[in-house]
């Protein structure tokens, strides 16, 4: 290999800034008690980081964007493995998924009729109205939780701005619903991430 050129006289070596990683566990978009495989994968990711890298854990159950990069990694992984999902669907007796409820809410042609055909076979005459009402509740809950999550994640991104060096948010989630309503929130989050030099 060619010899390395000597540093100019009077130059000062600049130490590379440590990378900062924040593991964000979106517990409110993971079914209650589930997510162990994702959390174990996240723990293995922590093991793969270089010793100089700094890592913190933040979950959607937290109400403030307080981040601790000084936590012992083994203690962090123990907390991580306990951060299972908290979402519990309890809106009514009919089996209505989040995404199909959103389609009903968006007036997608045939979306409500498909659910009624599936759920109301040999059911009382009140079934179609009950299905429509429950679909509305499911869709409203999904939108509200998604908006709250995106707002909290944006606040977290803002809190990382003063930190020097590369910053990364590693998101562990079952996936918040993305609709035309919250796309402006996603765009805002992306712009704030760029300003804060944060990669999600």
């Amino acid at each position: 290999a060619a010899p390395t050129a000597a540093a100019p006289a009077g130059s000062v070596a600049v130490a590379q800034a440590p990378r900062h990683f924040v593991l964000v566990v979106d517990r409110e978009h993971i079914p209650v008690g589930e997510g162990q495989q994702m959390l174990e994968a996240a723990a293995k990711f922590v093991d793969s980081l270089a010793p100089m890298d700094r890592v913190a854990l933040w979950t959607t159950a937290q109400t403030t964007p307080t981040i601790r990069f000084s936590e012992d990694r083994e203690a962090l992984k123990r907390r991580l493995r306990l951060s299972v999902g908290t979402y519990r669907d309890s809106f009514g007796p009919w089996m209505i998924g989040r995404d199909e409820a959103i389609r009903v809410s968006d007036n997608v042609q045939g979306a409500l009729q498909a659910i009624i055909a599936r759920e109301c076979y040999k059911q009382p005459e009140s079934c179609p109205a009950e299905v429509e009402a429950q679909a509305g509740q499911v869709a409203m809950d999904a939108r509200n939780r998604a908006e709250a999550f995106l707002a909290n994640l944006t606040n977290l991104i803002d809190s990382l701005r003063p930190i020097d060096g590369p910053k990364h948010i590693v998101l562990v989630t079952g996936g918040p619903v993305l609709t035309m309503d919250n796309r402006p929130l996603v765009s805002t989050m992306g712009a704030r991430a760029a300003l804060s030099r944060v990669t999600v």
Side-chain angles (χ1 to χ4, degrees):
T4 303
S11 65
V12 178
V14 178
Q16 183 178 3
R19 300 181 300 174
H20 290 78
F21 292 87
V22 182
L23 297 177
V24 174
V25 182
D26 179 17
R27 301 178 69 185
E28 295 175 9
H29 284 100
I30 301 173
V32 63
E34 296 185 11
Q36 290 91 344
Q37 290 180 325
M38 289 190 293
L39 298 175
E40 188 58 38
K44 291 180 180 178
F45 172 77
V46 172
D47 289 335
S48 73
L49 297 177
M52 71 177 296
D53 291 332
R54 297 175 182 174
V55 60
L57 173 64
W58 187 84
T59 76
T60 51
Q62 296 176 222
T63 56
T64 61
T66 302
I67 298 297
R68 291 190 298 138
F69 287 104
S70 59
E71 184 175 8
D72 174 77
R73 288 193 181 184
E74 291 304 317
L76 182 145
K77 288 190 295 182
R78 286 193 293 271
R79 287 203 303 123
L80 175 63
R81 292 187 175 101
L82 294 174
S83 299
V84 294
T86 59
Y87 173 67
R88 189 187 302 272
D89 184 2
S90 59
F91 294 103
W94 314 110
M95 297 294 294
I96 302 175
R98 180 195 70 180
D99 292 340
E100 61 183 354
I102 292 291
R103 289 195 293 271
V104 171
S105 175
D106 289 342
N107 296 313
V108 174
Q109 184 175 5
L112 177 60
Q113 290 72 19
I115 302 174
I116 291 174
R118 181 188 72 223
E119 297 294 321
C120 294
Y121 180 67
K122 293 185 178 181
Q123 295 297 323
E125 293 182 1
S126 61
C127 178
E130 293 174 0
V131 164
E132 185 173 8
Q134 184 175 325
Q137 288 180 305
V138 172
M140 182 181 298
D141 173 74
R143 293 181 192 276
N144 290 342
R145 284 189 297 112
E147 289 177 5
F149 168 72
L150 292 171
N152 288 336
L153 189 58
T154 300
N155 290 337
L156 175 63
I157 288 170
D158 287 342
S159 74
L160 298 175
R161 184 178 301 182
I163 300 174
D164 292 331
K167 292 156 287 189
H168 309 272
I169 288 178
V170 180
L171 182 58
V172 181
T173 179
V177 64
L178 297 179
T179 66
M180 292 298 294
D181 294 336
N182 60 27
R183 283 186 182 180
L185 293 174
V186 176
S187 297
T188 298
M189 183 179 70
R192 302 267 273 274
L195 288 173
S196 300
R197 296 178 61 201
V198 173
T199 301
V200 181

